[in-house]
Each structure stands twice: as C-alpha cells, then as structure tokens.
Amino acid sequence: MTFFTVGFSLLAALLHVYIWVLESFRWTHPATRRTFGTSESEAEITRPMAYNQGFYNLFLAIITLVGLALLRTEHWVGSALALAGTGSMLAAAVVLVTHDRRMLRPALIQGTLPALAVLFLLLEL
C-alpha cells in the first residue's frame, strides 16, 4: 500500500463527497449554479435528477473509502473495491467529456484524482 494510492484514492473520495453535497443539497444555491453553469430555472427543473446523481457520487466515494479501510487486512478485497470506486469515477469523467467536449474542464476536475488513484492501484497489483 503506497502513500500515493491511498492519498489519491482518499482525495478522489472526498471530492465526490463534496460533489454529493453540491448536487443533492445545494443544487439551487447561486454559488452551486455558477459552478455547474445552470440558470435558476434549469436548476429547479433538474433538481430531482441532481439529487439522485449526487447520491451516485456518494456511493462511489463510500465504495472507495471501504476499499481503503480494507487495504491492510484484506488487500485484494480492498484493492478491488478502491479500484471499482475510483475506476467508476474516472469512467464517469470520460463519459462527460466524450458526450460534450465543452465539458473538458469539469471532466478534468472530476477525473484527475481518480485517474491517478487507478494508476497507482494498478501498479500495486
């Protein structure tokens, strides 16, 4: 278990917990609307979708955190869970940018830490 594997995985999980808060609880607040580039009316219309999507981000973070917690005692299980969580985060970032090239910046924000975590997790296998 390396410092980089744990560090990048933990940071990716914490970022996705933050995204959960923004999407599930602060979606219609002006600062969050600016972050995601939505108008007040768009935020109201998409609020149920954002709430649900926020919980997807939380669940990915939880999978990753449980994996990290198990790395020392159940290395293969912990690695598999951490890789499933961070790999899904990375895949979501890839889907975001391939769907709309204008989303490159958000995809980089969402996907860089998970990409580094996946890299170091795979290097440990």
Side-chain angles (χ1 to χ4, degrees), residues 82-110:
L83 190 57
T86 57
S88 295
M89 293 171 190
L90 175 58
V94 170
V95 168
L96 181 63
V97 75
T98 57
H99 176 69
D100 185 348
R101 298 280 181 195
R102 294 172 297 174
M103 296 304 225
L104 178 61
R105 184 174 183 272
L108 287 172
I109 291 168
Q110 175 183 333

Side-chain angles (χ1 to χ4, degrees), residues 21-23 26-38:
V21 170
L22 292 179
E23 291 177 340
R26 297 188 46 82
W27 185 248
T28 58
H29 293 192
T32 303
R33 290 196 328 263
R34 279 191 302 277
T35 298
F36 286 91
T38 60

Side-chain angles (χ1 to χ4, degrees), residues 7 13 16 32 37 40 49 59 61 64 69 73 78 82 89 102 105 118 125:
H16 281 73
T32 303
E40 187 174 354
M49 180 275 312
F59 300 148
T64 302
T73 59
M89 293 171 190
R102 294 172 297 174
R105 184 174 183 272
V118 166
L125 298 180

Side-chain angles (χ1 to χ4, degrees), residues 28-93:
T28 58
H29 293 192
T32 303
R33 290 196 328 263
R34 279 191 302 277
T35 298
F36 286 91
T38 60
S39 68
E40 187 174 354
S41 62
E42 289 171 327
E44 284 299 330
I45 291 169
T46 58
R47 188 178 201 168
M49 180 275 312
Y51 183 80
N52 187 51
Q53 183 172 300
F55 275 88
Y56 276 91
N57 284 297
L58 176 64
F59 300 148
L60 293 176
I62 290 170
I63 291 166
T64 302
L65 293 171
V66 170
L68 291 176
L70 292 174
L71 276 177
R72 283 191 189 261
T73 59
E74 299 290 335
H75 183 75
W76 291 109
V77 174
S79 293
L81 286 172
L83 190 57
T86 57
S88 295
M89 293 171 190
L90 175 58

